[in-house]
């Protein structure tokens, strides 16, 4: 999961094409596939070791005792396993793998992400054990094959007598049928016992007994490259995120959403990228992802995040603040420290439950946060599929609720740089929300962009469909944003109609479909993208996930 | 680490260990000595998979069910306290994992099951219990507040609710609307 490396590859548009970047979007699924492959390989490896253990006892080599691992035929591997390095490391590795797999299931990740996060980092111990596993090895190899080739006969001189001890090394291959001319040894050769022939009928004598040693350790060859790359990336990210980002402002938006504005020296991000934020007062180890809503350049260097707040009345902090008898200000200061970010679902990106009891305290909290100069640590930016919006002629962006944030970044970029700054000719935006007030989050940006597109003689650049699923009150938009008001539809979007309309007006084009929303929505949209349509328009589906 | 539901983790760990024990048992039947332990391991693995397959209901929030678990949920729920108490599951897994530790292919499953039993102990210590999904465990409301109506109403409307009306035999009284 080398996110910085992936972000660099994704950003190098000259080297990497659009199709290759689509492959990078599936990096998480590839990671899961690798995990499954590791489990299958571990199971097969263990199987092999079980049968090895059986063979070590049953096929004890009497002639060359140094080849064996067990001391006699009665001894089994069950005795040796806990007393050898490979045995102990092997068992420990399998147990760690079982722990990692058990916490990686979808159910555990949704219920308790921290458990999954911390147990997954046990892979570092797994790597170290894997390096130690082949040491003091079970596998043996012969070192002097030229002196003692397979099938040769060893002459052992027993005190001057002519008796010879016919000892052949294991294994003994069947002698090949002889087709040559030579049928007896050279005259100057020593007299040899009868029947001692090699595969060509020539006599082969050993120069010495076989010498065995443990097989060389080779696992490090496979592990060291990726491990070093991962370590380098983590060190780079640690150094990059070492300087804190100061909170420059907090703005409340309707429908329990807060915009957090941060400033960080030297921070540059492209539209569609995301960052991970760490709040050291809550946890020194945890980083949680947030999509940027404003692309950052050297002249702006600002980070803006939108996060939804949930009131959490059963938190321990709530009980603590309720029993506080200190001054009101102190209580607020204490609560503003405990900002906990939780990822509840992979599709809901910007979820940050604020551990407060009453929402009315929020405004005071924001003021407190700015005044007390609390800072957060920002690691990133990392790439996401939404960066590809500008690499299509026509793009269709579908957002569910707070999932508008990556597209807000895209819209802000277009507002700053102009609608003619990339090859994008037409942008469709479908935004589905429960309440009408949610549309007010970026209503200003949408109206400004539409006005700018008009001024740049591109009136059909931005096509907006706003869908309201719960409330029916549209008066708020009618007063302040009549442009958006005329684009509001009540009820869930009919994907087939939307896609037919987009295909009709853009025949024979490749359209990028970008989705940031709940799983149910993504299933329906993906199904339609894969279907053929009569206008020969191709829809390429991208889903935003961290 | 927040509000963690230990039982959910113990459930996943137990199922994975049961699979490992089952596979190890099948291997142990092919050529290894002490084949009885391997046979036991196969049986114990299947039993634990069936026992742990239905996921328990979370205290709050939506629980993701496993596919087709509703059939086993009924069976597990019918067993009562034996299956819903996590202390009993802790002891059960502890006892089940011991015999499997005496043969090489089944050792790994036994160790995994031992870890699962420890996590179940922690879950039981935190007061968690197995609740079925889709079955109402609160029981029928008590009948002391409600009257059981066996006869049609004896009074024409307007009339008070059944539990307020005075008890009288169901004889129609004509022409007296003041009687409730």
């Amino acid at each position: 999961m080398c996110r910085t490396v992936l972000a660099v590859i994704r950003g190098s548009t000259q080297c990497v094409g659009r199709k290759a970047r689509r492959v990078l979007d599936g990096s998480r699924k590839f990671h899961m596939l690798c995990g499954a492959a590791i489990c299958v390989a571990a199971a097969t490896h263990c199987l092999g070791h079980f049968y090895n253990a059986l063979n070590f006892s049953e096929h004890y080599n009497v002639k060359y005792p140094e080849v064996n691992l067990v001391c006699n035929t009665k001894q089994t591997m069950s005795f040796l396993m806990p007393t050898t390095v490979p045995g102990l490391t092997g068992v420990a590795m399998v147990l760690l793998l079982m722990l990692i797999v058990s916490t990686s299931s979808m159910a555990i990740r949704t219920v308790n992400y921290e458990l999954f996060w911390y147990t997954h980092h046990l892979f570092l111990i797994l790597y170290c054990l894997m390096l130690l596993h082949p040491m003091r090895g079970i596998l043996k190899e012969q070192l002097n094959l030229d002196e003692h080739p397979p099938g040769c006969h060893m002459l052992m001189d027993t005190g001057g007598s002519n008796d010879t001890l016919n000892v052949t090394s294991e294994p003994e291959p069947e002698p090949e049928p002889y087709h040559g001319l030579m049928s007896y040894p050279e005259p100057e050769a020593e007299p040899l016992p009868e029947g001692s022939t090699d595969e060509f009928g020539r006599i082969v004598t050993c120069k010495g007994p076989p010498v065995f040693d443990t097989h060389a350790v080779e696992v490090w060859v496979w592990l060291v490259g990726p491990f070093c790359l991962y370590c380098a990336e983590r060190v780079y990210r640690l150094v990059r995120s070492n300087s804190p980002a100061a909170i420059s402002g907090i703005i409340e938006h309707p429908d329990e959403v807060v915009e957090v504005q941060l400033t960080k020296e030297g921070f540059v991000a492209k539209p569609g990228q995301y960052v991970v934020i760490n709040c050291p007062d809550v946890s020194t180890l945890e980083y949680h992802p947030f999509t940027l809503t404003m692309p950052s350049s050297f002249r702006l260097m600002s980070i803006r995040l939108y996060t939804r707040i949930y009131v959490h009345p059963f938190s321990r902090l709530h009980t603590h603040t309720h029993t506080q008898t200190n001054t009101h200000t102190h209580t607020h200061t204490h609560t503003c420290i405990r900002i906990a970010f939780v990822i509840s679902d992979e599709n809901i990106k910007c979820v940050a439950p604020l551990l407060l009891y009453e929402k009315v305290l929020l405004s005071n909290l924001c003021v407190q946060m700015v005044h007390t100069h609390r800072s957060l640590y920002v690691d990133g930016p990392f790439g996401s599929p939404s960066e590809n919006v500008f690499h299509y002629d026509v793009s269709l962006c579908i957002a569910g609720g707070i999932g508008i944030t990556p597209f807000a970044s895209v819209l802000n970029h277009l507002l700053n740089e102009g609608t003619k700054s990339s090859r994008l000719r037409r942008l469709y935006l479908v935004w589905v929300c429960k309440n009408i007030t949610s549309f007010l989050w970026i209503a200003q940006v949408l109206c400004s962009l539409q006005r700018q597109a008009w001024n740049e003689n591109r009136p059909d650049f931005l096509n907006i469909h706003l869908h309201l699923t719960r409330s029916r009150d549209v008066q708020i938009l009618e007063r302040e944003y009549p442009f958006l008001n005329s684009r509001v539809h009540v009820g869930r979007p009919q994907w087939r109609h939307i896609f037919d309309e987009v295909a009709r007006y853009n025949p024979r084009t490749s359209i990028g479909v970008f989705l940031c929303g709940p799983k149910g929505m993504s299933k329906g949209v993906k199904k339609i993208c894969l279907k053929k349509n009569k206008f020969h328009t191709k829809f390429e589906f991208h889903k935003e996930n961290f | 680490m927040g509000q963690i539901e230990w039982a959910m983790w113990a459930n996943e760990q137990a199922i994975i260990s049961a699979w490992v024990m089952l596979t190890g048992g099948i291997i142990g039947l092919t050529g290894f000595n002490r084949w009885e332990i391997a046979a036991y391991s196969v049986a114990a693995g299947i039993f634990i998979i069936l026992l742990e397959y239905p996921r328990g209901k979370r205290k709050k929030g939506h629980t993701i069910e496993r596919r087709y678990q509703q059939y086993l949920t009924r069976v597990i729920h019918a067993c009562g306290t034996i299956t819903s108490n996590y202390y009993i599951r802790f002891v059960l897994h502890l006892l089940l994992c011991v015999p499997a530790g005496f043969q090489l292919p089944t050792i790994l499953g036994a160790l995994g099951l031992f870890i699962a039993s420890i996590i179940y102990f922690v879950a039981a210590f935190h007061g968690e219990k197995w609740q079925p999904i889709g079955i109402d465990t609160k029981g029928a409301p008590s009948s002391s507040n409600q009257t059981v109506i066996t006869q049609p109403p004896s009074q024409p409307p307007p009339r008070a609710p059944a539990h307020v009306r005075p008890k009288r035999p169901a004889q129609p009284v004509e022409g007296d609307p003041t009687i409730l």
Side-chain angles (χ1 to χ4, degrees), chain A residues 46-47 49-51 53-54 58 76-78 81 90-91 94-95 98-99 101-103 105-108 110-112 114-115 118-119 286 312 314 316, chain B residues 1-5 8-9 12-13 16-17 20 23-24 27 30-33 55 58 60 62 64 102-109 111-112 115 119:
Chain A
C46 287
L47 214 82
H49 272 313
F50 295 149
Y51 284 111
L54 199 62
E58 289 184 0
T76 60
M77 276 300 289
S78 308
M81 188 190 70
V91 168
V94 170
L95 291 178
M98 280 208 278
L99 277 174
V101 168
S102 71
T103 50
S105 66
M106 178 70 173
I108 299 272
T110 1
V111 170
N112 197 295
E114 288 93 345
L115 177 69
Y118 289 125
T119 39
E286 290 175 17
H312 203 282
F314 301 111
R316 285 170 300 186
Chain B
M1 219 190 279
Q3 287 296 321
I4 174 173
E5 297 227 11
M8 209 165 202
W9 182 19
E12 298 282 335
Q13 178 70 23
I16 288 172
S17 311
V20 173
T23 320
I27 301 298
T30 59
F32 285 80
N33 57 348
R55 208 173 257 142
R58 283 173 58 197
K60 51 186 161 100
H62 172 67
I64 302 172
F102 288 97
Q103 200 197 33
L104 182 62
T106 52
I107 281 180
L108 295 168
L111 288 169
I115 293 173
I119 307 174

